[in-house]
Amino acid sequence: MEDKMMIIDPHVHMTSRTTDDYEAMAAAGVVAIIEPSFWLGQPRTQVGSFQDYYSSLVGWEPFRASQFGIQHYCTIGLNSKEANNEALAEQVIELLPLYVHKQNVVAIGEIGYDDQTPAEDKYFRMQLEMAKELDMVVQVHTPHRDKKAGTLKSMEVCLEHGLDPSKVVIDHNNEETVKDVLDRGFIAAFTIYPKTKMGNERMVAVVEKYGSNNIIVDSSADWGVSDPLAVPKTANLMLKRGIAKEDVVKTCYQNALDIFGSNGKMKEEHWLKPKGVNQAQLFNDNSVLRGQEPRIDSDQIT
Ligand SMILES: [Zn+2]
């Protein structure tokens, strides 16, 4: 029996997911995840809502992930959709420096365009400048409408601001955008959506055609119809379709580690030498358990 492949899902909104998802992901080989800050469906009306959300991404959620044996990292930024509320956006931008230096923050993101409005453009550029100044990786959300033009524009703007394309992950690619992204030296991430948009079979075809360099697979699972097991499922399908294991490891693990690990906060040793799960632990007096026996791994028994 071969060792289970280690998987990183570099784009998954765990705040919206359940403990069952964490358990299933860990069982499927997911060792680490990156949770980009994004919008929550319900538009926020107060800067404090953003502050508590960012605090959760650097506090409660990494704790919750740890209770199921998964390492949690995040990206911090003002998402494109809520950039359109300019009065609020101004205050959110002021908050970002409080969070970008936190221990598990591996990039500025997810930022970019939604409807490609002037306000989105303004705050995208502002955050690119911040990333450049801090020498941070950028995770770009490309629009689902007018995808090709929005993707090209996102890259043009990154280059205009002097960002190194090898430190910018362009997400939500498809067959129409991948060549332009790779040709310009950016990292191309693909979100695997169940049933619609980019599915696992199409991802296999992309890797067959373009290889595994600078290509990353993610689930982008959130509060909508989505699949937190999309990355391990795609990895399995790639192997089944005869894609070399080395290429599967690159697209479903190593490339994400190389780029998001570049500021030194995300390290393989975090999961190769895990601390072990101890569900008897509390975060701010809270446990993830509801009367169950806590799982305590042997190295956690004192
Ligand atoms: Zn997202």
Side-chain angles (χ1 to χ4, degrees):
M1 176 92 184
E2 229 180 320
D3 280 350
K4 191 164 62 179
M5 189 179 281
M6 290 191 296
I7 300 281
I8 294 174
D9 186 344
H11 188 148
V12 58
H13 301 287
M14 293 311 295
T15 298
S16 307
R17 311 299 310 192
T18 65
T19 55
D20 285 356
D21 291 332
Y22 270 127
E23 282 180 341
M25 290 165 83
V30 176
V31 289
I33 52 139
I34 298 168
E35 175 155 7
S37 46
F38 78 140
W39 65 82
L40 297 170
Q42 178 69 39
R44 282 167 280 208
T45 58
Q46 317 278 334
V47 69
S49 308
F50 278 91
Q51 182 152 21
D52 291 340
Y53 173 63
Y54 296 142
S55 294
S56 167
L57 294 185
V58 302
W60 168 249
E61 205 54 43
F63 168 77
R64 202 165 75 101
S66 76
Q67 298 297 284
F68 300 94
I70 292 181
Q71 296 290 322
H72 180 286
Y73 307 88
C74 70
T75 71
I76 292 287
L78 169 63
N79 67 76
S80 51
K81 202 176 180 83
E82 287 175 303
N84 290 302
N85 180 346
E86 284 203 61
L88 186 53
E90 284 299 327
Q91 301 173 62
V92 176
I93 291 287
E94 302 269 299
L95 271 185
L96 300 181
L98 299 177
Y99 290 93
V100 291
H101 300 293
K102 298 281 186 194
Q103 197 186 323
N104 69 331
V105 178
V106 294
I108 303 273
E110 54 184 301
I111 59 172
Y113 296 109
D114 179 42
D115 262 337
Q116 302 181 52
T117 65
E120 291 169 19
D121 188 61
K122 174 179 165 188
Y123 293 104
F124 181 38
R125 289 171 185 273
M126 226 182 241
Q127 294 179 93
L128 290 178
E129 282 298 319
M130 194 183 294
K132 195 172 71 170
E133 201 175 299
L134 299 169
D135 192 25
M136 284 182 80
V137 168
V138 178
Q139 185 182 41
V140 175
H141 166 96
T142 54
H144 299 299
R145 298 172 295 277
D146 206 5
K147 159 85 56 196
K148 176 130 183 167
T151 304
L152 292 173
K153 185 170 174 197
S154 304
M155 291 191 288
E156 263 164 38
V157 171
C158 287
L159 294 174
E160 199 186 308
H161 283 268
L163 275 99
D164 174 354
S166 71
K167 295 195 75 178
V168 179
V169 179
I170 304 288
D171 213 330
H172 312 308
N173 275 281
N174 61 25
E175 297 88 341
E176 301 265 279
T177 57
V178 54
K179 189 171 185 311
D180 288 315
V181 173
L182 294 175
D183 283 351
R184 285 164 177 73
F186 289 81
I187 313 290
F190 290 80
T191 296
I192 309 300
Y193 296 98
K195 300 190 189 96
T196 57
K197 296 186 185 171
M198 206 52 227
N200 325 44
E201 291 283 358
R202 287 168 61 192
M203 190 64 228
V204 174
V206 165
V207 174
E208 277 170 348
K209 184 163 178 189
Y210 295 97
S212 57
N213 287 341
N214 290 346
I215 288 184
I216 292 177
V217 179
D218 63 57
S219 73
S220 195
D222 59 14
W223 33 261
V225 177
S226 45
D227 183 359
L229 297 180
V231 184
K233 282 180 183 172
T234 304
N236 285 339
L237 189 68
M238 282 197 233
L239 291 172
K240 232 187 257 172
R241 293 284 185 272
I243 291 188
K245 185 167 178 190
E246 184 197 331
D247 293 320
V248 181
V249 169
K250 278 170 78 177
T251 53
C252 298
Y253 178 82
Q254 193 64 48
N255 292 347
L257 176 58
D258 290 347
I259 178 81
F260 289 108
S262 62
N263 69 354
K265 292 182 185 171
M266 180 179 184
K267 291 194 182 118
E268 208 170 33
E269 67 191 50
H270 296 163
W271 53 90
L272 291 184
K273 286 189 223 149
K275 281 195 293 226
V277 169
N278 180 355
Q279 292 182 338
Q281 286 176 334
L282 301 177
F283 180 92
N284 203 17
D285 297 333
N286 286 318
S287 149
V288 294
L289 301 179
R290 298 294 178 267
Q292 298 86 351
E293 274 298 307
R295 171 184 154 192
I296 303 178
D297 292 349
S298 54
D299 62 343
Q300 290 287 300
I301 297 168
T302 51

